[in-house]
Amino acid sequence: MNKFVAYMKSPEWSPYVAGSGLGVVMIIALLLSNALLPAPQLVGASGAYENLVAPVGLALDPNNLYFKTIMPPGITWAVWSLLGVFLGGLVSALLSGTFKWRKLPDQQWTEIFGPSVAKRWIIVFLAAALLEYAAGIAGGCTSGLAVGGGLFLAPSAFIFMAGMFAAGMPVAWVMYRRKY
Protein backbone atom coordinates (compact mmCIF):
# COMPACT_ATOMS: atom_id res chain seq x y z
CA MET A 1 0.00 0.00 0.00
CA ASN A 2 2.89 2.38 0.75
CA LYS A 3 4.24 1.89 -2.79
CA PHE A 4 0.82 2.79 -4.22
CA VAL A 5 0.59 5.96 -2.12
CA ALA A 6 4.16 6.91 -3.07
CA TYR A 7 3.36 6.37 -6.77
CA MET A 8 0.19 8.47 -6.52
CA LYS A 9 2.29 11.32 -5.06
CA SER A 10 4.94 11.04 -7.77
CA PRO A 11 5.19 14.13 -10.03
CA GLU A 12 5.56 11.92 -13.13
CA TRP A 13 3.75 8.73 -14.00
CA SER A 14 4.52 6.11 -16.58
CA PRO A 15 2.78 7.02 -19.85
CA TYR A 16 1.40 3.47 -19.93
CA VAL A 17 -0.23 3.86 -16.52
CA ALA A 18 -1.54 7.34 -17.35
CA GLY A 19 -2.81 6.20 -20.77
CA SER A 20 -4.52 3.17 -19.26
CA GLY A 21 -6.08 5.41 -16.63
CA LEU A 22 -7.35 7.76 -19.32
CA GLY A 23 -8.87 4.80 -21.16
CA VAL A 24 -10.67 3.69 -18.00
CA VAL A 25 -11.93 7.25 -17.41
CA MET A 26 -13.22 7.40 -21.00
CA ILE A 27 -15.11 4.11 -20.60
CA ILE A 28 -16.59 5.18 -17.24
CA ALA A 29 -17.59 8.56 -18.69
CA LEU A 30 -19.25 6.86 -21.65
CA LEU A 31 -21.14 4.44 -19.40
CA LEU A 32 -22.23 7.21 -17.00
CA SER A 33 -23.30 9.55 -19.78
CA ASN A 34 -25.21 6.73 -21.44
CA ALA A 35 -27.02 6.04 -18.17
CA LEU A 36 -27.64 9.69 -17.21
CA LEU A 37 -28.02 11.58 -20.49
CA PRO A 38 -30.29 11.13 -23.51
CA ALA A 39 -27.29 10.46 -25.77
CA PRO A 40 -23.85 9.12 -24.82
CA GLN A 41 -21.14 11.78 -24.60
CA LEU A 42 -17.41 11.43 -25.16
CA VAL A 43 -14.94 13.34 -23.03
CA GLY A 44 -13.67 16.44 -24.82
CA ALA A 45 -12.61 19.95 -23.90
CA SER A 46 -13.10 22.23 -26.90
CA GLY A 47 -16.90 22.10 -26.72
CA ALA A 48 -16.78 23.28 -23.11
CA TYR A 49 -15.08 26.51 -24.09
CA GLU A 50 -17.66 27.09 -26.80
CA ASN A 51 -20.51 26.47 -24.35
CA LEU A 52 -18.98 28.98 -21.96
CA VAL A 53 -18.44 31.72 -24.59
CA ALA A 54 -21.80 31.11 -26.30
CA PRO A 55 -23.55 33.86 -24.28
CA VAL A 56 -21.04 36.37 -25.65
CA GLY A 57 -21.50 35.03 -29.17
CA LEU A 58 -25.27 35.27 -28.88
CA ALA A 59 -25.03 38.77 -27.42
CA LEU A 60 -22.98 39.83 -30.45
CA ASP A 61 -25.30 38.03 -32.89
CA PRO A 62 -28.62 36.82 -31.45
CA ASN A 63 -29.36 34.90 -34.68
CA ASN A 64 -26.11 32.92 -34.64
CA LEU A 65 -27.20 29.37 -35.48
CA TYR A 66 -23.95 27.84 -34.24
CA PHE A 67 -24.44 29.09 -30.68
CA LYS A 68 -28.20 28.55 -30.82
CA THR A 69 -28.17 24.92 -31.97
CA ILE A 70 -24.74 23.26 -32.16
CA MET A 71 -22.93 24.75 -29.16
CA PRO A 72 -25.61 26.39 -27.02
CA PRO A 73 -24.71 28.25 -23.82
CA GLY A 74 -24.84 26.34 -20.59
CA ILE A 75 -23.09 24.16 -18.07
CA THR A 76 -22.82 21.04 -20.19
CA TRP A 77 -21.21 17.63 -19.75
CA ALA A 78 -18.07 19.02 -21.40
CA VAL A 79 -17.92 21.95 -18.96
CA TRP A 80 -18.08 19.55 -16.01
CA SER A 81 -15.35 17.43 -17.63
CA LEU A 82 -13.16 20.50 -18.07
CA LEU A 83 -13.68 21.46 -14.43
CA GLY A 84 -12.72 17.89 -13.47
CA VAL A 85 -9.50 18.13 -15.51
CA PHE A 86 -8.58 21.37 -13.73
CA LEU A 87 -9.36 19.98 -10.28
CA GLY A 88 -7.59 16.69 -11.06
CA GLY A 89 -4.46 18.57 -12.13
CA LEU A 90 -4.64 20.71 -9.00
CA VAL A 91 -5.00 17.68 -6.72
CA SER A 92 -2.16 15.92 -8.55
CA ALA A 93 0.16 18.92 -8.15
CA LEU A 94 -0.76 19.26 -4.47
CA LEU A 95 -0.22 15.53 -3.79
CA SER A 96 3.15 15.48 -5.55
CA GLY A 97 4.27 18.69 -3.85
CA THR A 98 4.96 20.40 -7.19
CA PHE A 99 2.22 23.06 -7.01
CA LYS A 100 3.47 26.62 -7.15
CA TRP A 101 2.27 29.98 -8.43
CA ARG A 102 4.38 31.59 -11.10
CA LYS A 103 4.04 34.23 -13.80
CA LEU A 104 6.21 32.50 -16.38
CA PRO A 105 6.86 28.81 -16.66
CA ASP A 106 10.46 27.74 -16.56
CA GLN A 107 13.87 28.78 -17.73
CA GLN A 108 13.29 27.15 -21.14
CA TRP A 109 10.42 29.56 -21.92
CA THR A 110 12.32 32.67 -20.88
CA GLU A 111 15.44 31.63 -22.84
CA ILE A 112 13.43 31.28 -26.05
CA PHE A 113 10.63 33.85 -25.73
CA GLY A 114 12.03 36.25 -23.14
CA PRO A 115 10.77 37.33 -19.71
CA SER A 116 7.79 39.48 -20.85
CA VAL A 117 4.55 38.49 -19.12
CA ALA A 118 2.50 40.44 -21.70
CA LYS A 119 4.18 38.54 -24.55
CA ARG A 120 3.35 35.26 -22.83
CA TRP A 121 -0.32 36.19 -22.45
CA ILE A 122 -0.55 37.29 -26.09
CA ILE A 123 1.08 34.08 -27.35
CA VAL A 124 -1.10 31.91 -25.11
CA PHE A 125 -4.29 33.74 -26.16
CA LEU A 126 -3.49 33.51 -29.88
CA ALA A 127 -2.47 29.86 -29.59
CA ALA A 128 -5.67 29.00 -27.71
CA ALA A 129 -7.81 30.84 -30.28
CA LEU A 130 -6.05 29.00 -33.13
CA LEU A 131 -6.44 25.69 -31.32
CA GLU A 132 -10.14 26.27 -30.72
CA TYR A 133 -10.68 27.28 -34.35
CA ALA A 134 -8.82 24.19 -35.58
CA ALA A 135 -10.80 21.95 -33.22
CA GLY A 136 -14.00 23.35 -34.69
CA ILE A 137 -12.82 22.61 -38.23
CA ALA A 138 -11.61 19.12 -37.28
CA GLY A 139 -14.82 18.22 -35.49
CA GLY A 140 -13.26 17.93 -32.04
CA CYS A 141 -10.23 18.48 -29.88
CA THR A 142 -7.40 16.07 -29.22
CA SER A 143 -9.20 14.32 -26.39
CA GLY A 144 -12.51 14.05 -28.21
CA LEU A 145 -11.12 13.23 -31.63
CA ALA A 146 -8.09 11.09 -30.83
CA VAL A 147 -8.93 9.46 -27.53
CA GLY A 148 -12.70 9.28 -27.96
CA GLY A 149 -12.45 8.23 -31.60
CA GLY A 150 -9.71 5.75 -30.70
CA LEU A 151 -12.05 4.21 -28.14
CA PHE A 152 -14.35 3.29 -31.03
CA LEU A 153 -11.41 2.37 -33.30
CA ALA A 154 -12.42 5.08 -35.76
CA PRO A 155 -9.88 5.32 -38.60
CA SER A 156 -10.13 9.13 -38.49
CA ALA A 157 -8.82 9.08 -34.91
CA PHE A 158 -5.65 7.26 -35.93
CA ILE A 159 -5.16 9.48 -38.98
CA PHE A 160 -5.56 12.52 -36.71
CA MET A 161 -3.06 11.19 -34.16
CA ALA A 162 -0.48 10.46 -36.89
CA GLY A 163 -0.97 13.95 -38.30
CA MET A 164 -0.77 15.52 -34.86
CA PHE A 165 2.61 13.92 -34.13
CA ALA A 166 3.89 14.47 -37.68
CA ALA A 167 3.09 18.18 -37.40
CA GLY A 168 3.94 18.61 -33.71
CA MET A 169 7.51 17.34 -33.84
CA PRO A 170 8.77 19.73 -36.54
CA VAL A 171 6.91 22.66 -34.97
CA ALA A 172 8.53 21.90 -31.60
CA TRP A 173 11.90 21.68 -33.32
CA VAL A 174 11.40 25.06 -35.02
CA MET A 175 9.96 26.72 -31.91
CA TYR A 176 12.65 25.47 -29.56
CA ARG A 177 15.46 25.35 -32.14
CA ARG A 178 16.60 21.87 -31.21
CA LYS A 179 15.56 18.25 -31.38
CA TYR A 180 14.20 16.23 -28.46
Side-chain angles (χ1 to χ4, degrees):
M1 188 62 156
N2 287 339
K3 281 186 176 184
F4 176 75
V5 172
Y7 190 80
M8 293 297 289
K9 291 182 175 184
S10 172
E12 294 181 13
W13 286 13
S14 157
Y16 303 110
V17 172
S20 299
L22 179 59
V24 170
V25 166
M26 291 293 288
I27 291 169
I28 291 170
L30 192 59
L31 292 173
L32 283 175
S33 73
N34 196 28
L36 302 174
L37 300 172
Q41 302 287 310
L42 291 173
V43 174
S46 60
Y49 294 112
E50 292 173 351
N51 293 131
L52 292 173
V53 300
V56 175
L58 286 173
L60 294 172
D61 179 10
N63 296 320
N64 186 308
L65 291 177
Y66 184 75
F67 289 126
K68 277 182 151 181
T69 58
I70 298 171
M71 286 293 172
I75 305 300
T76 62
W77 175 263
V79 173
W80 285 110
S81 295
L82 190 62
L83 179 63
V85 167
F86 172 77
L87 293 175
L90 178 62
V91 167
S92 175
L94 290 171
L95 281 174
S96 68
T98 58
F99 178 83
K100 59 183 169 182
W101 291 102
R102 55 188 177 182
K103 288 183 183 177
L104 290 175
D106 51 17
Q107 183 180 354
Q108 182 182 14
W109 173 276
T110 55
E111 285 176 1
I112 294 168
F113 298 107
S116 171
V117 175
K119 184 177 182 181
R120 173 171 166 74
W121 279 99
I122 290 168
I123 289 172
V124 168
F125 178 80
L126 293 174
L130 178 63
L131 182 71
E132 192 63 31
Y133 180 71
I137 291 172
C141 61
T142 307
S143 55
L145 197 57
V147 180
L151 180 68
F152 291 105
L153 301 177
S156 59
F158 296 99
I159 293 169
F160 171 76
M161 285 186 274
M164 179 179 64
F165 283 106
M169 288 186 282
V171 167
W173 183 75
V174 167
M175 293 280 295
Y176 293 108
R177 299 175 185 89
R178 60 181 168 188
K179 291 183 181 179
Y180 286 96

